Each structure stands twice: as structure tokens, then as C-alpha cells.
Amino acid sequence: MLHEQILHRCFRCGYCKMPSNYTDLNCPPYLAFRFETYSPGGRMWLLKAWLEGKIQPGRRFAEIMFSCTACGNCTEHCPFPDFKNLLLEAFTAGREAFLDGGTAPAGVKDYLTRMQLHGNPYGLPAKKRADWAAGSDTESYSGQEYLFFAGDAGSYDTRGQEMARSAAGLLAKAGISFGVLKMGENSDGNDVRASGETALFEELAGKNTELFNRNNVKKIITLSPHSLNTFKKDYPGLGGNYQVFHYTQVLALNMGRLKFKENQEPVLVTCHDSCYLGRHNRDYFSPRMILSTVPGIKIAEMDRNRQNSLCCGGGGGNLYTDILPSGEESPARHRIREAKKTGAKIIAVSCPLCAIMLEDAVKSEGVADILRVMEISEIINDRLV
Amino acid sequence: MPEIKFDRKLCSGCETVDCLMKCQYIKFTSIDDAKAEKLKINAGETSRVLNECLTCYACQEYCPYGNNPFYLLVEMQEKKGILPAPKPIVEEQLRMMRPKGRITARKVSSPVVNMCAFPMLSGNVRGKLFEGASVISGNDLFCNIMWLHFAKNSTIRERVPQMIENIMSFYLKDSGIEEMICFHDECYGTYTSVAEAFGIQVPFKPVHLFDYINRRLDQLSDRIKPVNEKIAYQRPCSNRLSPATDKVLDEIFTKIGAERVPRQYDRENALCCGGVPRAQQRDELADELVEKNISDMVSTGARYCVFNCPFCMATLGQEAAENGLMPVLVSDLVLIALGE
Amino acid sequence: MKDFIRQLAGITGQEFVSAEPEERYIYSMDQGTMPPALPDAVVMPGSTQEVQQIMRLANRHKVPVVPMGGGLVLSGLTRALNGGIILDMKRMNRIIKVNPVSRHAVVEGGASEGMLQAYLKKHHPELKHSMPDAPPIATLAGNICIHGSGHLSVPGGFHSDMLTGMEVVLPTGDIVRTGSCSVSQDWFARAPLPDLSGLFLGWSGTTGIITKLGIKLFPSYAHNDLLVFVCEDADLMPDVISRLTGTQVAEDMTPWMTPKPEWARGFLHINISYGAHTKKELTFKRNLLQASVKKYSDRKIAGFLPMPPPQKSRFLKVPSADLVTFADIRKGGGFEYVGAIMSIEHFAEAYRAGLNIAKTHNVSYSMGARIIGAGHAMMFFYAYAFNRADQEDVKRAQHALEATNTAALEIGGIPWKAELPAQKQIIDKMDPGTFNLMNRIRSLMDPNHIMNPGNWEK
């Protein structure tokens, strides 16, 4: 197993369970399940035990492995510099072993099957991928400066599609030159890779790369930070070398081109940092830069912000596989309760998966009348002339 | 081992005894009093100066004859077993800074910048200012001048020739390069003033950072955007070993539009930053030195507090920042002027 | 057992009970050298009432119960030696209330050190509590129960000294309160009542389960600083410690002696943390500390390291992760230590014993101490790192630990949070009347002998 030589070096100190300010727990599966087994340290020791023949890959072990959302809190806070950056890869390798052995949870197998057959996790026809852009002014890609990549949720989820249209529309207003590929794209594959299904990931990435290269794509703007992450880190090794940006990173430098309404109602907004824009790609700045230039918006930070942000629980395929429970202890509901404490009226997100997870949680918490989840571009569009 | 280069007749005939009379930390009742103490030092006898010396290097600059009063003082401290700092502290430092044998030969290209024992500061060598530079660093290139603060001339004699050998055999010789830029005053002081006084051969040409920067600024003159700011400069102790370079610094400041605001504790009157006195267990004096330096800088109305020594910067930087002065290195300020 | 486990699920909800092999495996051991002991199940109660119901059920079925906080004790005290269930208390992690005027906090039995620190920083920045150097998920209750110590142990003593009262579920399921909270609304002190808290401190979880506790808080300072004292002669240390503690201004005093980094080998250091409300006060305290040991610095045989401000911040971090990272120095994630509580005059003897043991057993070691109170005692620790994947390395560490426990007892110290073999060594040395009383109390409180059995037995 990849990185098996680091498994025994975990001291199970538990720094990985918390943010750097210790305000609460910060590992989504540990927070939801609370058994030591569901913490990163638990995973390390269980994988080691498996390799030593002390434990078998049963249903529970599978749930433990696939409940990890790859949020990166453990990597961020592990005190051991020699191997902290290998933790997520070790867990991915563990998941790969489960998939190879056929013992992955049913929800994961179904998710991956849909990906394989349809190129997206919804099991919807590939040819409907660009439908989100229909009826809008979004142009087809024909050599503009950027390719705009909406990703799975942005392409197929109703709410996601709203966000895709919102972000694309806003970029256009800011004078950014971009187009979308109406045929041939499939999932970016980020969460497939994180799940350990390497072969499928390479297949998905290969198809995208071939399509992008054929169309001479040089620069990509993504709606989802998940896409940003894999295009930036994994695609170059597979022949896909592009300059990749999350749309907030481009927008942050072009806010001067937007005209805002006068006399805006002041509103308190709290920022939820998405794992893949934040911890994985170190950008805590772009969403805040954007919000701070909008008249009337004041930011109130949650206790767990920036590199301490609590993952919404949607990563690692969990948005589609539902391994993490959706009860009171779900990370998303914890996050909403935390957002509520700031007194903010809006929780600003920069990822469609975060938006979907947190909106569900707002409903479950019964706070829809006082707290609204809004994607960054939606907040901006609301305040433009 | 060769003795410190020194002519005792110069001291006997000296009428001003500047080395001691100009001392900022030890008081003498008269020139005769100072002369008496100086002659005791020269003769290897007990003198209160050996115990009270702050090791600020200033007397090296004050002596009009270049008669190495400070190096000789340190020699006598060591001979008489006088320790400016407690023994365990010195021992730990000796171990911490010893050569580690962790050096591998590599080809280097001009300009070769010696970052001494501070590889973590290599990030300061950047931009067009240092274009094409090769940075060499590590304990195996440590200039070892700090032992002057700890009465360990013997360590200087023992380790400096080895450092020179390392620089030549691992870097300069095979690359056919003769010049080496010393990023810090300490290194430059070692390979010029100290080497000469201790009779150590230096086969390469040490270049002071300021000389390098001054030259380079002429080459990049069209890129300079004057900073138009007042600056307060904290002259490091080791610059006293190469006082001519202080004039070069003035030229640099002029070229980049930085006004070196006159302050009480600058140039010949520069005051110790307060770092070394703490090792000597003189914390209250160190507090006083910090306070004097900072309030002096603040009174100039300067925006930047400019350093050329990592230890001064570590000692004073935080306090400077808390008092509204932005701590930067000389090279940082030049980089700012070059838009880098 | 199956029926018992089903009934457990009826108390806490199925999602908080597990008899799965994965949980049984992970909870069978901690990070130290003690061998695994499989529990039958792991349970996570969410309230005092649930704990009570669990204890009543366990008594009916005569199933052993092992309470567990952070599980970071390292000496295997949270293993189910006789099977049964492990009670992972960490769901009960609320900060219940803070009394800023009388400076104390009331927390649940599974509340973590880290979360109390964070809570105070946000809501009561003028207050702080004494944190051990354990990782922040360690529980206050667990640490207090083993007589832990930490960053305010010089003014405050052991963390058990900082306890102001408890709510405990007895092995029989009765709920009791100790301290002022048993009579008053307030949790301010254990005085003036008969001090029943002592029935639960240092008993390795064999007398009850703490569900709430009160802990003293201390003023936090705007300005904080650190002095590092260094000398070469261990025989000087008791006098140095006595002089430094005599100033009564330090908050934390931790000698440390380690062979790595190389420059530190053979030297004895003392980290002294202190704080003040103003810079002037801070300088005054520093001067007091330095003046107290002037007799040594004047002779240049010892002194304080010059440390520019940027270097200090690492040492001022609370808790310090340095102790934890020691676990990887043999690239093996294993670390255990003997912390011997002893009188300060034994410092040199304790140190030399440690050097000897490390050499004899060929182990990677680190030694240090934490000074308790105004120089009343010290927790002298001998830490050994080992490579968990190398059985020989684990054995070496185990033997070193055994030898250390023996040496500590011979010197007159007592290992804290003693692992099973060390418990037996302590019992051997213990006054028979004391041990007799311990047994009588345990029989009275735990008639079915279900609370963490296997511990503190001959």
C-alpha cells in the first residue's frame, strides 16, 4: 500500500481532530461519529492492523475509510512534519485497497459506477452537461482567454446550475473573456481520485485533457474548487497543463469593473472557506477580497475560519455517497450552528458542494428565516446595478 | 599560532587613548587613567576593562593607528580565563556553530553570495539586484567572528582557516571565481580585518555587500524608483571593522532616495543593539540600550528602521515595529526601490 | 454479553455503542508499551443520566467498566484488563459555566483542555487555566484524576490541587457531589467540607466516573516572557530551583535535559515562564528571577540564554507540541515516560539514574521536570521514544521504563499514572495500612468490583 511505511508513525495524539485554536472538533467523520476509529489516527492504526493481519476489511472499516472527506484538517494540524503531507494519500491508498478487494460501501460503488457509465455522479446523460448554459448569454468556447468549467454539481444539480449561471454571468459583467465547451466534457474526477479509484480518475482526466488540448485550451476558470484542485495538481502529470483559477481568484482582481447600487442595506456576512480553495490551495484571500469591496457588506468570522474551516462534509464523494450521517452531529449542521452564532444573515460559500450541503443543513436546523446560504457570485449579483 | 598584529610602541606613545576614552560603556577619570589600563592590557595584567568590556568592537574603529585594540583585549581575556558570558552558554554556542561536515561541492557562478550560517535567510538574495547569484551557506562556512564576543580567539584561529579552505575547495576554486560577496558585515570583517590581524591568509577577494549593491545600482539605474522616505539606520557592531563601507552605504541611500536621518546613535556613535549584553547576563543594560536605540530612531520621524545584521534585527525588530517603524534590511530597501 | 450490549444501545442510542472489531481493536491499547486488552464494547454516553443508567446496568450484569477521557495516559490505564466496556467520555464536553470573579470554571467530564482554553480566550480573555503539555484533546477530568501538572503549576500546584469540586457517578450508579457544590450553587472550593474529592483523585478510575468538575482559573497576562537558565552541574539544580521559586513570580518552571540537539547534550536547562499586566512589571519580574541566581551567574558557571524575541514564541506556545514530536525521533510513533513525583533535593540523583538507564538499555531519551508549587515537589520525567514497528525497540523501551520505575522508587519518588507493573512495585513499598484502606474503600464503593478491575491489585 502506498505510504504504508508511515502508518505506524502516527502517535494518535489527536491534533488532527482539532483546529489550531482548539475551539471545537474539526475532523468531519470524527465529529459525526465520535469513535476514535473515525479520526485520522484511527484510520492510520487500522490500516496498519490490516496490513499486519490483525483486522479484516469489514463493513465498519469500509465506512470508516470512506467517511473521510479529504478535507485536509489532519494535514494542516498534524505536528509531525515528516509525514503530515502524506496522510491523505495514505488514506486514498487504503480506499483503493478496499475498492480492489470489492469491500467498499455500496453507496461508493454506485457513485463510481455512475461516474464510469455517464461521466458524472448523477447518472444523467452526458449530452445534457452544458444545459445549464442554455438560454443564457454564455458563449461556446472558441479560443477565448479562458475556458469556464462548471463541474458536476454546476452542470447537473438544479441549485448548482443556478450557481454556474450566476458565476458565469458575473464574470461576463466583469469583462472576462471565456467560453464553455458544450460537448465532450466529463467530471473533473477530483473526488474519484480521492476515493481511491485511480484507474477511473485517469480515464476521466484523460478524456478531459484530450478535449481541452484539442480545443487549444490554455487557461481554465472553475466554478468548483474541487475542479481547481485536480486540474492544478493532477492533470499536469497526465498531459493537461493549463493555468487554472477558481473564478473568485479572477474576479478578485477585476472588482473595479463592477458597478454597485447606491445606498445598500448593510448586511453581516460570514465566510465559509471551502477545503479545496482554502486548505488544499491556500487561498483564503480571494473570497474575502471580493466581499470587502462590496458596499454594505461587513464580514464576521466564525471561530473556525481559514485554515481552521470546518468542512461541510461533501468532499471525498460524500455529497453523493452519504456515508456521513445527516443528523444533528453532521458537520454541515455543526457549521450552520457555528454560523448562526456570528449573528450573520448570510453564509458566503465559494463551492457548489458546500452550498448544497449547507443549504440542506439550514433547513434541518430550522434557521432558514434568519440565515441564508449564498454563493459569492450570488451575493455580488444581488448588489449590482 | 601567530600573535595578534600589534605594535606596543604605538600605544605607549599614544596621547589620546581614543580606544578607551571614546568607549561608550566604560568610564575613565582621565586620559592617564585610561592609559594605565591600556598598558595593563598590553602587558597581560589584570585590568577592569577586561571584565567590563561590552565587546562592541568600537575601539577597533576608534584607534587611529589600526593597532587592533579590541582583538588584543579579547586575546587577554582568553589568556586570563575571563569569560564575558557564562561558560555553559559559550560551550553550547561552540557546539551549535561548529562545522558539521555537511557540505558538498557544487559549481557556482558569479556573483557568489556568502550567507554564512544563515541558510534560512537565503530568500533575501532575489530579484534583479542579485540576478544570477549563487548562494553558499551553512555551518561549514560560518565566519566565526562571534567568538570575539565570548573571549574565544582560539576558536577563530582554529576554525577560520578551515572555513576558508571549505569556501575554496567546495565552491570557488573549481568554478574559477575569485570574488565572494559577504552578505553580512561579520563575514567581511572576518576575511579582512580579523584575518589580517590574526595573520590568516585569505586566497579569495571578499566583497562587502554595500560595494556590490552600489556597483549593481549603477547597472540598474534606469529601474530605480526613489523610495523618498526617511530611514533610521542601525549600524551593526561589525561594521566598525570596515568603516569605509559606511560611506558606500551613504551613496546607496542617495541613489535610492532614502534619507539617512541623522540620529544620536549612528556612525561613530552607534550603540550596541542590546543582543550580546544579554548573553553577558547584563539584561538591565540591554534594556537601556534597546530603549535608547528605539527612542532615538523614533525621534527622527523615520518610516523605516534599516538593519544590516540578522542579530540586530532579531533583537530590535519587534520593538521597532511596535513603535511604528518598519524593520527592513539594507538589501530589502534597495529591492523596494527597484520595484522588486 | 449480546443482551447487555443491546441494552446499552437502549441507553445511549445505537450509534454510540460499538462491539465491532474495529473499535475493540483501537480501544484495546494506547500509544505506550503496555500490551493490548480487548474490551467487549465501547460506549459513549451523552449525559450524567446515561452514565448512571450504564453503571446500574453494568452492576446488574457484573460487566467491568473502564472510564476513558482523551486516552492519552500512555501507561495503559484505559485498557479493559478484564474485558467489559470502555466508557469514552468525550461526548460530554460542554463548558458549563465560568465564574470570573471567583475565578473558576465548571465543565463536563469529557471536556477537553483545548476547548476550555479556546472558550476562555474568546469569552474571558482575562482568565486562563493551567494546561498540561498533553495534546489539546486530553480531558480536564482525566488529567486531574491522574494528578497532572502544567503551565501554571508553580502558582497552582498539581492540577488536582486546582479542583474545586466534582459530580461523580459511583460504581453503583449513585450520583454524588463533592466540594462546595454539594451544599451551595457555587463550585468555589473543596473546603470546608470533608474532602470526598480525594476518593476519586489518583485512583485510576477504580472508584467512579467524573461527569462534572470545577477547576480554578488564573489571571491571564497581556505580556508574557520566557527565561532559559543553563548550567552544567546537576548538583546545583536544587538550590537554583529553590532560589527561582523563592521569587514567587514564575508561572511555569520546567528543567529539561536532552541529548538532542547535540549542542544541548550534558547541559541542564530550566525554562521559566512568567507574565505581567505591563511591560514594566514584566521587566521587574525578570529582574527578580535573574537576581535570585546571581551567585551563579556572577561566577559565570551558569546563566540565562540570550534569546531574541522571535525565538521565544515557540517556547511560549501552550500546550507545546514538542513533547509529542519526540514520539517520532525513532521514526516510530511510540513514546512513553515515567513521571516520578519526588522532592527536589533528589534532582541530581534522579538525573544520573536516567543517564545510566538510557545507556544501559540503549534507548532514545529525554529528561525533564515540572516544578510543582513554590518549590514543593517536582514531576521528574524520563521519556523514551520507540519504533512501534520494531518489537526489539519496544522491548528496550519497556525495560528502560521498568528500570526507571524501580530507580524512581529507590530514590524516594513515586511514579504518577503508574502502569500495571509499576503499580505493583508501589504497592510493595506502600504502607500496609494505606493499601488496606484503599482496598476497603474500593470494596465499599464498588462491591461488584467492576470499576477498571485489574488496577491497584497485588
Side-chain angles (χ1 to χ4, degrees), chain A residues 1 7-8 10 12 16 27-31 33 35-50 55 60-71 74 87-88 90-92 94-95 98 318 323-324, chain C residues 25-26:
Chain A
M1 198 182 282
L7 296 173
H8 71 283
C10 167
R12 278 186 55 223
C16 51
C27 164
Y30 181 67
L31 180 60
F33 291 96
F35 286 102
E36 294 287 333
T37 40
Y38 286 81
S39 71
R43 262 177 223 99
M44 293 285 272
W45 282 42
L46 285 172
L47 286 173
K48 181 81 181 130
W50 181 15
I55 206 148
R60 181 84 162 182
F61 195 175
E63 183 183 70
I64 289 168
M65 289 310 298
F66 286 91
S67 62
C68 164
T69 60
C71 77
C74 46
L87 293 173
L88 290 181
F91 298 152
T92 299
R95 289 192 277 270
F98 269 86
N318 268 277
I323 307 270
L324 283 175
Chain C
Y25 174 79
I26 291 289

Side-chain angles (χ1 to χ4, degrees), chain A residues 8-9 11-13 15 21-23 25 30 33-37 45 49 55 60-61 79-80 82 303, chain C residues 15 22-23 25 27 31 44 90 114-115 117-118 122 135-136 317 324-325 328 331-333 335 387-388:
Chain A
H8 71 283
R9 290 171 71 177
F11 182 55
R12 278 186 55 223
C13 59
Y15 272 94
N21 55 14
Y22 317 137
T23 48
L25 299 173
Y30 181 67
F33 291 96
R34 304 304 283 275
F35 286 102
E36 294 287 333
T37 40
W45 282 42
I55 206 148
R60 181 84 162 182
F61 195 175
F80 297 100
D82 272 5
D303 286 338
Chain C
E15 65 271 31
E22 290 81 4
E23 276 74 45
Y25 174 79
Y27 282 83
Q31 304 89 327
M44 299 194 292
K90 297 195 290 292
M115 279 173 68
Q117 185 194 62
K122 183 168 185 188
K317 195 164 192 314
V324 160
T325 54
D328 199 40
K331 304 212 183 305
F335 158 50
N387 181 349
R388 190 186 304 287

Side-chain angles (χ1 to χ4, degrees), chain B residues 51 83-89 91-93 95-96 98 150 275-276 278-281 283-284 287 311 313-316 318-319 322, chain C residues 227 230-232 256 261-269 279 283 286-287 290 297 299-310:
Chain B
N51 293 85
L83 292 168
K87 188 162 165 284
I89 292 176
E91 291 296 322
E92 281 193 343
Q93 290 293 316
R95 280 197 214 166
M96 222 188 280
R98 67 178 170 76
F150 295 106
V276 163
R278 295 204 196 275
Q280 297 175 345
Q281 312 299 296
D283 275 81
E284 288 182 79
D287 290 345
F311 200 49
M313 191 150 168
T315 304
L316 286 174
Q318 200 168 297
E319 198 73 31
E322 281 173 20
Chain C
L227 282 172
V230 62
C231 77
E232 288 171 301
W256 52 277
E262 183 57 40
W263 55 263
R265 182 191 287 268
F267 293 100
L268 302 106
H269 305 85
K279 274 197 171 169
T283 305
R286 181 204 70 199
N287 291 344
Q290 292 182 325
S297 54
R299 283 162 56 201
K300 308 281 194 215
I301 58 172
F304 296 92
L305 292 181
M307 213 182 273

Side-chain angles (χ1 to χ4, degrees), chain A residues 178-253:
Chain A
F178 67 92
V180 300
L181 284 167
K182 299 273 168 92
M183 285 297 291
E185 270 180 9
N186 51 224
S187 173
D188 51 70
N190 184 68
D191 294 349
V192 170
R193 180 194 46 77
S195 300
E197 192 31 274
T198 317
L200 177 58
F201 165 70
E202 286 176 359
E203 196 188 307
L204 292 166
K207 286 188 183 148
N208 276 338
T209 309
E210 196 273 326
L211 176 73
F212 297 163
N213 290 345
R214 200 175 355 109
N215 280 276
N216 225 9
V217 170
K218 296 277 180 279
K219 292 158 119 180
I220 307 178
I221 293 178
T222 71
L223 173 69
S224 167
H226 291 240
S227 317
L228 168 82
N229 185 66
T230 196
F231 286 163
K232 250 186 132 160
K233 294 186 182 167
D234 307 312
Y235 275 49
L238 298 165
N241 288 287
Y242 319 104
Q243 271 185 285
V244 194
F245 307 88
H246 185 252
Y247 86 88
T248 53
Q249 294 173 321
V250 176
L251 196 60
L253 301 174

